[in-house]
Amino acid sequence: DTGVSQDPRHKITKRGQNVTFRCDPISEHNRLYWYRQTLGQGPEFLTYFQNEAQLEKSRLLSDRFSAERPKGSFSTLEIQRTEQGDSAMYLCASSHRDREDSGANVLTFGAGSRLTVL
Amino acid sequence: GENVEQHPSTLSVQEGDSAVIKCTYSDSASNYFPWYKQELGKRPQLIIDIRSNVGEKKDQRIAVTLNKTAKHFSLHITETQPEDSAVYFCAASRSNFNKFYFGSGTKLNVKP
């Protein structure tokens, strides 16, 4: 499978525990995004990496959230001291600027990591 | 920041009819507008996109129109089929593509 891989697919945890999600983007993609999606809503931007540099971070991302992309390849999203409001689908997407069409940028999403905080 | 609003939230049409979904955005610097389709339990996938230097783009039964002055863009699906049933999301981004802002989604139901 040469798409975007996310692990784990499902995570159930108790309030107050830490969780970490991993995303493996398409290998030639230098752009990587994390989004959060709750039921009935559109994806909500969390953070963006270009190679290993974290260039954007949403104000929605409290100090309990941190993301890394240490070598510009895979990325991790960690949530510390989870709260019930953190329950959501966490989507990773990767892209590269279209070589033939520099005005487009197609996001390829992973299947997501569903978090349930009890 | 950008605010993308999408409506309707649900849309039910008869097979063969047309469907139109509308979005508005607030950031005049946004200039790239993709549409994503998300089937139940699956990941969002791009179906069509448009840049601000064009007013309309078509791909078979799907078309997107953009009115940059009014800051709104629309998705048009003609001759709808049951397999078009899904949730559709519009999005907006500036040319650096650092952030994509998504609408809240439209659940399209095509009745056979």
Side-chain angles (χ1 to χ4, degrees):
Chain A
D1 184 1
T2 57
V4 178
S5 299
Q6 291 190 245
D7 183 71
R9 293 290 308 278
H10 303 275
K11 178 71 176 178
I12 299 173
T13 191
K14 292 182 179 179
R15 189 176 53 189
Q17 298 296 304
N18 299 344
V19 296
T20 299
F21 302 117
R22 176 180 170 124
C23 172
D24 287 89
I26 292 172
S27 58
E28 61 265 29
H29 286 185
N30 64 339
R31 296 166 176 259
L32 188 147
Y33 306 79
W34 284 98
Y35 281 83
R36 178 172 66 187
Q37 187 176 28
T38 54
L39 196 62
Q41 297 297 316
E44 184 179 42
F45 174 79
L46 293 178
T47 192
Y48 162 67
F49 290 87
Q50 185 165 316
N51 300 310
E52 66 276 9
Q54 187 174 23
L55 298 185
E56 295 282 356
K57 186 176 176 181
S58 170
R59 287 192 298 273
L60 298 170
L61 227 62
S62 72
D63 56 4
R64 297 185 298 106
F65 287 71
S66 62
E68 293 183 341
R69 195 183 183 196
K71 297 182 179 179
S73 56
F74 74 93
S75 175
T76 58
L77 176 68
E78 181 183 18
I79 307 174
Q80 295 181 326
R81 305 181 302 281
T82 52
E83 301 173 357
Q84 287 185 326
D86 297 332
S87 296
M89 176 73 82
Y90 289 84
L91 292 167
C92 176
S94 70
S95 72
H96 65 91
R97 193 179 284 258
D98 193 305
R99 295 180 186 86
E100 294 182 359
D101 182 1
S102 61
N105 187 56
V106 179
L107 300 181
T108 300
F109 282 91
S113 292
R114 181 171 294 284
L115 173 65
T116 302
V117 182
L118 302 176
Chain B
E2 174 70 281
N3 181 40
V4 177
E5 295 190 352
Q6 181 173 349
H7 59 95
S9 57
T10 60
L11 180 59
S12 188
V13 299
Q14 207 65 40
E15 182 177 0
D17 288 350
S18 295
V20 180
I21 302 170
K22 299 181 179 182
C23 287
T24 61
Y25 63 98
S26 61
D27 183 1
S28 57
S30 290
N31 59 6
Y32 176 64
F33 307 93
W35 286 87
Y36 284 80
K37 175 183 180 182
Q38 187 172 29
E39 296 178 29
L40 189 63
K42 296 190 176 180
R43 68 197 76 185
Q45 291 192 303
L46 180 80
I47 55 171
I48 195 168
D49 56 10
I50 190 168
R51 289 177 287 168
S52 59
N53 59 349
V54 297
E56 183 175 5
K57 183 177 178 180
K58 287 183 180 180
D59 183 3
Q60 299 182 348
R61 297 186 296 108
I62 295 173
V64 56
T65 58
L66 171 66
N67 183 326
K68 224 176 138 52
T69 303
K71 297 200 193 76
H72 66 72
F73 55 113
S74 300
L75 178 71
H76 305 252
I77 306 174
T78 58
E79 301 172 18
T80 53
Q81 302 167 1
E83 51 264 40
D84 294 330
S85 295
V87 179
Y88 291 81
F89 295 100
C90 62
S93 172
R94 293 185 174 189
S95 59
N96 61 9
F97 306 126
N98 285 8
K99 294 181 185 179
F100 285 78
Y101 293 90
F102 285 81
S104 55
T106 297
K107 184 176 182 180
L108 174 64
N109 179 35
V110 180
K111 296 178 287 186

